[in-house]
Amino acid sequence: MLHEPPITPAPNLLPLGPVSGAARVAVLLPYPFAGPFDYLAPPGTDLVPGDVVLVPLNRRQEIGVVWDAPSGPSVPAAKLKPVTARLDAPALPAASRRFVDWVAAYTLAAPGEVLAMALRVNALTPPAPATGFVSTNPLPEGKLTEARRRVLGCANHAMPRSAAELARSAEVSTAVIRAMVHAGFLRPTPIPAAPPFASPDPHYAEPVFSAEQAQIATALRGSVRQAAFSVILLDGVTGSGKTEIYLEAVAACLESGRQSLILLPEIALSAQFLSRFERRFGVAPALWHSDLSSRTRRATWRAVAEGSARVVVGARSALFLPFTKLGLVVVDEEHETAFKQEDGVVYHARDMAVVRARLSDATAILVSATPSLETLANVEAGRYRHFCLRTRHGGARLPEVSAIDLRDHPPERGKFLSPALIEAVHATLAAGEQAMFFLNRRGYAPLTLCRACGHRLACPNCTAWLVEHRALRKLTCHHCGHTEPIPPQCPVCKAEGTLAPIGPGVERITEEVAAVFPHARRLVMASDTMPGPHAAAAAARAIEAREVDLIIGTQIVAKGWHFPHLTLVGVVDADLGLAGGDLRASERTVQLLHQVAGRAGRAEAPGRVLLQTFSPEHPVMQALVANDLTRFFAREAEARRPGNWPPYGRLAALIVSADTADAADLCARDLGRVAPGGDGVLVLGPAPAPLAILRGRHRRRLLLKTRRDIAVQPLLRDWLGRVKVIRGVRVDVDVDPVSFL
Ligand SMILES: [Zn+2]
Ligand SMILES: [Zn+2]
């Protein structure tokens, strides 16, 4: 559960007074205990809820947070231990504490586990000053090599720069820097603390809006100014200027002196967003994601707590930052399943963002071109307001979508691009425009099969096929990360040269594209070939600068990009997401493909989208071709209503996992025997999970389904309380599950 190293107490401890006559105080520790523990606060020490303190636990000193109510007199005062010290750190604000309690109660996680997410940055101590280097003056005697001369050209005798930075600028290794320090050319000097986050200027570059856009922007600004809780769905076709419009809500929030939080589904894709933000407000916002250096994380956490970080753009974990005066939460691409955290505390960041806004009397804006059915149901029920943009910005038209029926237009044997798609790409290239191939599957081939005996290469730890990654010459399990070299012969029948890749991944499509369009400049964008924001930003720049003709990508290319010269999108396998029978398979496929389609024709030249499919008659394909998502979502909603499926009912999953199939079965059967029932309550299962073995653990699932007016948490608590879970068996709870694997 907790992978963070223990927080090391820092020297910034504030002494506390004597212990006699002490008062009882509750302290929540960042561990999976059921609740806070009581400690004694020495008299005269004004400990208040939110204070970060050091307390004894077993034989260690642990950091905790003073919580709101003492947990009761069950432990006699004489047995309580005193609080050791208060840390000189910003207190955890009341809204953050309410939020921790709320998330814990909703997800059935321990409050301390949730608190760990709020404290895990280890940001409680002020950032230590980093060491930089300045050039000495006068310089020591001696001959300078060319490399050393370059370093001195980049160094300054007043402003220290870090070794890494100097090495990068002078194009030398850091060993050269170290040697120059030793030889007396450079002198170590502390780098002054990072300047506080510059405040974005709401009037820096005010946008020019169409009448439709201006009307919505005014409404959003009005809502933020009210400083009361409300939720707004901002729904609009791709390229309609949704970002520019919600940035007006950010502007209103800046004017009112409150903080804004913008959640993005994938922070790796934030580069283009950041430059849009900077164009509007003159400075970059504070950024929050897992790749930040610990120094930046500390500085950012403190700046949020102290209110100097006015706008934070981040991944879902940014919800747990200690905002003191939050006025606005934006969830961009609210339909994205990436907002669901599946490990540790299992929560949906979109839904928790709404809760977070409510706890701070703030406005929440959910943004999407293809809103989730959950959000649409909230609009329908009058809980959320709805603003809709129907036209693309600047006169750009929506792309024309058509299906290529692969039954009538099959690709060549062993290939995946149909002649119709190839021809359209040739025409696009001839017109000097860019085209994109989209396939939401990493690697070379999703399955490797022996042509002699039919053996399929599977993961030793999971119920899953191994995916070939030819560039790395490896087979990989995408569920547990197991890798092995591609075997020279079939592991079963020992035949040589019989192993054949089945089906395409993005690598295989790239190979085919290279053969068909040998003279086109190609760029592959996939999450495993493009880790981190820098690589994605560089790729985006290359595309914008027309250094690329063809883009081949996985779902990473679908999101939010603005490529003005891209006019054709070819979806290699439009049917891919429909297999598997997941509750939301159709909804997700429509959302993803609509989003990819939206990358085409965002400037003057009109865009075209071609969907390769074996079932053009499927409602998903029909909706995309007719560009009639409203009707599709209405149909989808009607299909879910009668069975109380979400959003018209509630779901919670119990996932039992154990080292042996017998232990998993036993626990799952016990749970099944005492399952809750009654009017509007139904339990499905136990059944083997589709991923029946994951990382060597055997998995069984039970699914609780209730009417919408029945809360699942009390049922779950009662249910779990009736079963004794033996050692080595785990029962994980997933409220509002998104994945059913
Ligand atoms: Zn074989
Ligand atoms: Zn595996």
Side-chain angles (χ1 to χ4, degrees):
M1 221 61 39
L2 284 164
H3 307 293
E4 294 284 308
I7 302 167
T8 336
N12 58 332
L13 303 177
L14 304 181
L16 297 174
V19 181
S20 58
R24 198 179 270 268
V25 63
V27 175
L28 187 63
L29 296 166
Y31 297 105
F33 302 122
F37 292 141
D38 281 2
Y39 285 90
L40 291 177
T45 59
D46 45 351
L47 285 180
V48 292
D51 278 348
V52 182
V53 292
L54 201 59
V55 295
L57 179 76
N58 300 327
R59 269 173 218 161
R60 292 168 47 160
Q61 292 288 325
E62 298 282 356
I63 283 179
V65 176
V66 176
W67 222 242
D68 293 76
S71 60
S74 59
V75 182
K79 290 207 166 172
L80 295 180
K81 293 192 176 134
V83 172
T84 312
R86 180 157 64 85
L87 263 78
D88 184 16
L92 197 66
S96 292
R97 300 195 305 274
R98 289 299 87 67
F99 187 55
V100 166
D101 281 335
W102 207 98
V103 172
Y106 191 83
T107 61
L108 270 75
E113 276 180 281
V114 185
L115 177 68
M117 298 198 289
L119 294 183
R120 78 165 26 151
V121 295
N122 197 359
L124 300 168
T125 52
T131 302
F133 299 93
V134 293
S135 50
T136 47
N137 190 13
L139 288 168
E141 299 283 312
K143 253 181 75 97
L144 282 171
T145 62
E146 178 54 34
R148 288 185 173 192
R149 219 190 307 274
R150 281 207 306 276
V151 173
L152 288 178
C154 301
N156 181 300
H157 67 268
M159 275 286 290
R161 298 181 71 186
S162 75
E165 210 182 322
L166 276 176
R168 200 164 44 237
S169 311
E171 296 177 339
V172 300
S173 71
T174 47
V176 174
I177 310 289
R178 278 198 303 274
M180 289 177 74
V181 175
H182 189 72
F185 291 98
L186 296 172
R187 182 165 52 81
T189 309
I191 299 178
F197 288 89
S199 193
D201 174 4
H203 306 294
Y204 183 79
E206 288 174 356
V208 181
F209 282 141
S210 70
E212 185 191 33
Q213 291 174 319
Q215 201 182 358
I216 298 176
T218 306
L220 298 189
R221 279 174 161 273
S223 176
V224 170
R225 264 190 230 109
Q226 296 236 318
F229 171 60
S230 72
V231 189
I232 293 168
L233 166 62
L234 176 58
D235 154 17
V237 295
T238 50
S240 57
K242 295 186 291 293
T243 308
E244 282 67 24
I245 293 172
Y246 76 64
L247 288 182
E248 291 314 290
V250 174
C253 198
L254 284 165
E255 284 164 9
S256 74
R258 301 215 283 168
Q259 293 168 296
S260 306
L261 167 62
I262 301 167
L263 293 182
L264 301 179
E266 229 170 301
I267 209 71
L269 306 176
S270 60
Q272 276 196 338
F273 174 85
L274 294 183
S275 56
R276 271 155 112 171
F277 187 97
E278 210 168 326
R279 279 202 296 277
R280 172 65 183 83
F281 295 112
V283 297
L287 201 56
W288 187 260
H289 57 81
S290 52
D291 287 343
L292 294 179
S293 71
S294 67
R295 192 179 155 75
T296 308
R297 285 165 82 81
R298 283 167 193 232
T300 308
W301 198 89
R302 281 215 163 218
V304 172
E306 286 157 1
S308 60
R310 304 289 305 279
V311 182
V312 178
V313 174
R316 55 195 181 210
S317 59
L319 279 172
F320 295 92
L321 283 171
F323 293 96
T324 46
K325 39 184 182 176
L326 188 63
L328 173 67
V329 185
V330 177
V331 184
D332 204 346
E333 312 289 3
E334 67 90 28
H335 62 276
E336 279 286 343
T337 50
F339 282 120
K340 180 75 191 253
Q341 166 144 323
E342 303 278 4
D343 298 323
V345 178
V346 179
Y347 68 95
H348 201 306
R350 175 198 59 220
D351 301 343
M352 295 307 121
V354 170
V355 173
R356 186 67 190 80
R358 181 155 56 77
L359 293 171
S360 290
D361 296 322
T363 298
I365 303 179
L366 311 181
V367 186
S368 176
T370 51
S372 61
L373 278 182
E374 277 73 12
T375 297
L376 289 172
N378 279 317
V379 167
E380 195 186 328
R383 285 185 287 267
Y384 295 179
R385 282 198 291 160
H386 185 192
F387 294 106
C388 189
L389 285 151
R390 294 184 198 289
T391 47
R392 275 194 156 182
H393 187 55
R397 274 174 292 152
L398 281 172
E400 185 191 302
V401 183
S402 43
I404 296 175
D405 189 337
L406 289 175
R407 292 167 303 191
D408 300 340
H409 305 275
E412 266 178 56
R413 207 180 140 71
K415 302 283 186 239
F416 302 93
L417 305 180
S418 68
L421 179 55
I422 291 172
E423 197 187 305
V425 173
H426 273 304
T428 304
L429 294 178
E433 291 162 357
Q434 294 168 325
M436 176 192 281
F437 295 93
F438 174 75
L439 177 65
N440 195 19
R441 202 190 258 145
R442 290 179 288 141
Y444 187 84
L447 172 66
T448 304
L449 176 115
C450 171
R451 290 221 188 277
C453 72
H455 176 67
R456 297 157 174 228
L457 298 181
C459 175
N461 312 318
C462 307
T463 319
W465 307 126
L466 289 171
V467 178
E468 180 183 349
H469 286 255
R470 189 161 287 192
L472 304 171
R473 300 157 94 186
K474 275 194 308 203
L475 295 163
T476 299
C477 171
H478 285 181
H479 295 287
C480 72
H482 166 88
T483 62
E484 56 185 69
I486 300 168
Q489 47 172 231
C490 171
V492 173
C493 73
K494 310 293 178 201
E496 301 220 359
T498 56
L499 292 175
I502 305 297
V506 74
E507 277 185 32
R508 195 170 189 181
I509 295 302
T510 306
E511 191 179 273
E512 188 174 337
V513 167
V516 180
F517 307 99
H519 303 299
R521 296 164 300 172
R522 299 172 300 274
L523 175 79
V524 182
M525 288 180 83
S527 53
D528 50 350
T529 61
M530 197 160 282
H534 298 297
R541 271 195 305 276
I543 297 168
E544 278 183 83
R546 309 182 87 151
E547 290 159 14
V548 167
D549 304 309
L550 294 176
I551 304 145
I552 303 120
T554 59
Q555 45 91 24
I556 199 168
V557 299
K559 291 166 193 171
W561 300 104
H562 181 71
F563 298 138
H565 312 293
L566 176 71
T567 58
L568 177 70
V569 170
V571 177
V572 175
D573 184 356
D575 308 329
L576 182 60
L578 294 173
D582 186 311
L583 165 71
R584 296 184 181 88
S586 293
E587 180 189 353
R588 259 188 234 155
T589 303
V590 158
Q591 284 162 340
L592 179 63
L593 295 187
H594 183 76
Q595 192 104 36
V596 182
R599 297 314 110 210
R602 291 171 70 97
E604 303 80 48
R608 256 182 99 190
V609 180
L610 296 172
L611 309 171
Q612 294 199 138
T613 172
F614 282 100
S615 45
E617 67 288 343
H618 193 289
V620 164
M621 305 308 149
Q622 299 272 321
L624 290 165
V625 168
N627 192 21
D628 189 355
L629 300 192
T630 312
R631 216 178 60 173
F632 171 82
F633 282 117
R635 267 183 59 150
E636 188 72 14
E638 281 326 302
R640 293 198 207 165
R641 211 187 288 267
N644 285 342
W645 291 101
Y648 304 103
R650 298 182 188 277
L651 288 183
L654 296 187
I655 302 107
V656 178
S657 59
D659 293 336
T660 66
D662 285 348
D665 278 329
L666 196 68
C667 179
R669 272 202 305 271
D670 281 352
L671 280 164
R673 243 194 313 275
V674 295
D679 189 25
V681 177
L682 184 70
V683 170
L684 305 165
L691 261 171
I693 306 176
L694 176 65
R695 297 186 185 92
R697 290 182 61 86
H698 296 256
R699 301 165 79 246
R700 304 289 180 264
R701 294 182 67 103
L702 297 104
L703 191 65
L704 169 66
K705 181 157 73 91
T706 71
R707 266 196 336 250
R708 208 192 137 84
D709 59 325
I710 301 174
V712 295
Q713 287 81 4
L715 292 173
L716 288 170
R717 274 193 206 98
D718 178 62
W719 187 9
L720 292 168
R722 289 154 179 258
V723 171
K724 197 167 169 336
V725 178
I726 59 162
R727 250 181 104 84
V729 180
R730 273 184 67 110
V731 181
D732 289 303
V733 180
D734 183 356
V735 177
D736 306 329
V738 164
S739 160
F740 296 88
L741 288 178

